[in-house]
Structure formats: structure tokens, C-alpha cells
Amino acid sequence: MLATKEQKKLIRKNCGYKVDIKEEFVQWATEDNNKTSLNDLTFDQANKILSVQTGKTNTADNWAYFDYKNPKHKTILSLLRQANWTVPNERHGCVADLERFSSFLKDGKSPVKKPLKKMEDKELEKVIVALRGVVASKYKKRR
């Protein structure tokens, strides 16, 4: 997940709007001397800078919280894995990329713009159909 607009504004403000200071922070957080733009930052890297600047961090507005007892939520998790929307995990090897799914739910591509836990059964079914389409397009035969 990329740095949010709010994070970028705070970083600029905390640097006193001085470009050279901002660039040094970006290079430090990304560990890459070629990167100097706030657009190069991930959400976590921006939080790293903000925590040094202010002692506080932002939390992502995660729409992908699952209810493990809900069978439709389990179906969605399965579809995320089938679509290869995964991230490495030390303990479990590979898990569903919930940040990517949360961004999908907030995006125009989602059939329902609402946090997963607040969705009704009909809305969950729309998300399942959309994810099945993602899986189908990923594995359709190319000619």
C-alpha cells in the first residue's frame, strides 16, 4: 500500500516545507539514494518517517477484516489465494494480501464500497462474483 495523501502532507509540514530535508527522509526510509519523492514511499515507510518526526504513526483504514465464522468470508479468502493476491508470511508461508483487498474494496472496481464486516449477504455475494471474475481472467487460456 502506498503512502496516503495525509501522510505526505504531514511529512512535508514536519520538514518545514524544505525539499532537501524531505528528500533525505525519503532516502533514509526507502534505503535508496535514488528515491527522493514522497510518491516513492509505501504506507509503512511514511509511518516510519512520521514516527521519527512526531512520535506518532497513522493506522490504515482496513476494510478487509474477516469473520472467520462466516462461510462467505472464508470463500473470499479462498478466492484471494486463487487469484494469487498473497504476501509472504514467516509463520504461514503465504497468506491473503489484506491490504490489497482493502484497497480493492475502496476502489471503483469493487461492486460494493463498504468494509467487509459491514456487508450483508447479498453484498458479499457480489464481491464473491467479482473475485471469481478476477480468478477466471487470471487463468483463462491465451491463444
Side-chain angles (χ1 to χ4, degrees), residues 29-116:
T30 60
E31 297 178 2
D32 185 348
N33 288 338
N34 296 323
K35 294 185 179 181
T36 57
S37 171
L38 291 174
N39 294 328
D40 294 328
L41 294 173
T42 65
F43 182 85
D44 291 333
Q45 290 168 337
N47 266 347
K48 184 178 176 181
I49 292 171
L50 287 169
S51 67
V52 168
Q53 289 178 333
T54 64
K56 301 176 188 173
T57 58
N58 292 344
T59 56
D61 184 23
N62 190 349
W63 284 17
Y65 286 118
F66 282 84
D67 176 4
Y68 70 93
K69 294 179 184 176
N70 186 327
K72 290 188 188 289
H73 286 210
K74 289 180 183 179
T75 301
I76 290 171
L77 272 174
S78 172
L79 289 168
L80 292 174
R81 301 252 341 209
Q82 291 173 48
N84 202 24
W85 285 15
T86 57
V87 291
N89 181 285
E90 286 182 27
R91 185 174 179 192
H92 301 290
C94 195
V95 297
D97 186 350
L98 299 184
E99 284 185 21
R100 182 175 181 181
F101 181 56
S102 179
S103 295
F104 168 80
L105 290 174
K106 295 173 189 175
D107 190 74
K109 297 175 186 173
S110 174
V112 182
K113 289 185 179 149
K114 191 188 255 188
L116 193 64

